[in-house]
């Protein structure tokens, strides 16, 4: 059984993300870590703005479904990679916005964000003078392989920010809980939108 | 008589499309294939975001209205062309967004979409590495003539994607049912929006 | 007394225009011609997305308020100029969008719109092959003087379209009734948005 | 105790600003001057689109909280600086939009706005022919120091407009009351959006 508040938190997050245009078609996914350690995550194939009451399922920390007849989101492995790595991570969001998609296709292996007040949404960055270096990874349908590359980046960057971009595929962001993850995603999407605007006008 | 669920599915699709800005003024149209083979389609002249209860009518596979005193959407012939050609097509949507309109005016005879995760919304494209070549046709008020050119393209491209653009006039997209068509339209409009953004910033 | 349906039609139009971003702050105004020939128009100083029940007033065809203690919209003279000139005009809308404002500042004395399917929203243009030449006038706080220049344009262009732009100030559009005016405004704003997008990307 | 209408005015303003995308994540803040001279202001750390019933607090004109266990918005000092300087100021809004953020990063020490009808939202500018020079200040986490620089600008510009930009951090706007402040913010954000668009297209 999934606690009703967990299902509602995920469904509400989906509606919030859809209102901003971050979950087009069946893109995006949403998860949170339950008190007993299981991961609640959106099932595969639904529009995340209209998640049905039975549209949330549970997996273990290795991404194995608790009930074998239900298919989790395609990128479950990436969510679980976050929860295995960061003990404090309580919620993770994968959004798929136009700025994230376009910027990730233009970027090399990172997007630099500097001089934004909203950088304060990221831990260890109490001032706007800091910057974050958001890793950008090439897309890959082999999620295990993709997660392995994410892990390598985390190994190489001890102070990696709680987010990364997948080329042509959107952002992953996480925080201690769902409200925090939503705030962090909104801050990141805002800064990406500013970056995209800035590249068009000089 | 049109089944009430069919009318509601079409009216709801209209509201969804209007919320995204895809049916300005009286542009756009929406259809689905009923169980008995008739085609339910939006009547002519209404704003598709505010389709009244009697704003849906039926035509046969050749586009002839079941009741001669009601006028179907101007592009009914294009919807029927889809249903005649593709036995599995259950719903078709014509949207008219700013990106579709602007890109179609700039394009030659096709728009290429490659490297987008959302290409997975199109059949036969299980990975992001594929690409789709979306045909672009010049607009034409003679719908029979326009449909004939669409048919020629389908004859020449056996693996043509379930969609095409009409220059300055928007997109046509179809799928097995209305939910599928809405998801496919949303995925396509998202990718077109990314393409438009990408052309502005380098 | 103003018929309740007239007040509601104007208040609803305001909400629709506000939802699209066409009436920022106290910009924009909305009017319609009552059966007895009086003009119902928005009062001055209100946000048109939130017109109160007493936010609509009546003036005669020369713009004189029926009740002298109420102040009509600043541009009442432009609305009345439309009703005096065009016997069939039943509703007029002044919107103030970003595309209209930016394009009007870049334009000379006209904006050409060609090749858009939505041109069909304008009378005498049954095909997309036609074009409309939308006059652009310099702004002027002297409304009588501004209307005189509009009248000169109508005298010189017998087939002038039912709309014009005021530089840095937005569009004026009219039609036989309020639904028609809203459709025409939406079609025009859509085409202006496309023009703006087209100028940014080649 | 905070009068219920004051709390509601602030919460409503937050929802309005959020609907326009001006308060992403926990950015932005909202205040008004109560009849007894206290300042009601949003508490720190909440998303301003979803201010809870206890999300508003009171401070004195020097920014000291009335109740020491509650933390006011980080930029309280800037709001109080406005109320101390301008006896007629009744409400102040800090918004954080994409245009404001991007333009402020590109600007020198001011943004000039000229030729917009909406300049009439600013006092002493009854015509569109006027212009306003909106000061742009570098961001600073030391709010006292930042306010001191704002005060210097006010000392040097007796006819300074009721607003300024903080680089990468958004706009501050004020007026006699909350409705006036919201109108003024909307007018300013509209003109900034036009400026941003204009820089992209020629």
């Amino acid at each position: 059984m999934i606690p009703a508040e967990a299902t509602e938190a995920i469904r509400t997050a989906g509606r919030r993300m859809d209102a901003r245009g971050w979950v087009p078609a069946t893109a995006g996914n949403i998860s949170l870590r339950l008190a007993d350690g299981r991961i609640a995550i959106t099932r595969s194939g639904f529009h995340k703005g209209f998640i049905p009451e039975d549209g949330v399922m549970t997996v273990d920390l290795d991404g194995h479904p608790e009930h074998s007849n239900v298919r989790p989101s395609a990128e479950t492995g990436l969510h679980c990679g976050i929860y295995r790595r960061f003990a404090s991570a309580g919620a993770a969001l994968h959004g798929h916005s136009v700025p994230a998609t376009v910027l990730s296709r233009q970027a090399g292996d990172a997007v630099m964000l500097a001089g934004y007040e909203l950088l304060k949404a990221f831990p260890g960055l109490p001032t706007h003078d800091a910057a974050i270096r958001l890793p950008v990874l090439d897309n890959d349908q082999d999620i295990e392989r993709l997660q392995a590359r994410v892990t390598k980046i985390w190994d190489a960057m001890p102070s990696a920010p709680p987010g990364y971009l997948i080329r042509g595929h959107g952002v992953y962001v996480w925080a201690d809980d769902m409200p925090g993850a939503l705030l962090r995603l909104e801050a990141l999407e805002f800064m990406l939108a500013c970056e995209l605007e800035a590249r068009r006008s000089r």
Side-chain angles (χ1 to χ4, degrees), chain A residues 64-82:
Chain A
H64 301 134
E66 193 179 351
H67 303 288
S68 57
N69 63 327
V70 203
R71 217 160 53 100
S73 264
E75 292 104 32
T76 295
L78 300 180
H79 287 253
C80 293
I82 291 163

Side-chain angles (χ1 to χ4, degrees), chain A residues 3 46 65 75 80 90 124 165 174-175 187 191:
Chain A
F46 291 104
E75 292 104 32
C80 293
L165 281 164
W174 56 96
M191 290 186 286

Side-chain angles (χ1 to χ4, degrees), chain A residues 47-199:
Chain A
H47 191 297
K48 304 311 178 297
F50 303 91
I51 300 166
E53 280 197 40
D54 64 347
V56 179
M57 60 182 290
T58 46
V59 299
D60 66 17
L61 221 47
D62 293 308
H64 301 134
E66 193 179 351
H67 303 288
S68 57
N69 63 327
V70 203
R71 217 160 53 100
S73 264
E75 292 104 32
T76 295
L78 300 180
H79 287 253
C80 293
I82 291 163
Y83 294 114
R84 286 195 308 268
R85 181 81 177 200
F86 302 103
S88 61
L93 301 171
H94 166 45
H96 197 120
S97 71
V98 168
T101 302
V102 175
L103 281 172
S104 65
R105 286 162 63 99
Q106 295 175 352
D109 62 358
V111 169
M112 299 296 304
L113 298 170
Y116 290 101
E117 175 71 16
L118 276 180
L119 282 169
K120 288 161 73 172
F122 287 81
L125 293 172
T127 86
H128 62 281
D129 269 340
I132 60 173
R133 187 180 180 281
L134 208 67
V136 181
L137 295 92
D138 288 324
N139 200 358
D140 195 336
Q141 296 306 313
D142 183 327
I143 295 300
E144 266 200 59
R145 193 167 57 190
L146 182 49
Q147 178 58 46
R149 289 172 28 227
V150 175
T151 301
K152 257 182 82 172
I153 285 172
W154 287 336
D155 288 340
M157 265 177 77
S159 56
Y164 57 83
L165 281 164
I166 297 181
R167 211 176 306 283
H169 193 178
V171 295
Y172 276 83
V173 163
W174 56 96
D176 290 0
D177 54 24
M178 187 61 84
L182 280 166
L183 288 176
R184 194 160 280 168
L185 178 60
E186 189 172 14
L188 185 56
E189 289 288 355
F190 178 88
M191 290 186 286
L192 292 175
C194 288
E195 282 292 308
L196 193 63
E197 286 282 342
R199 292 183 189 208

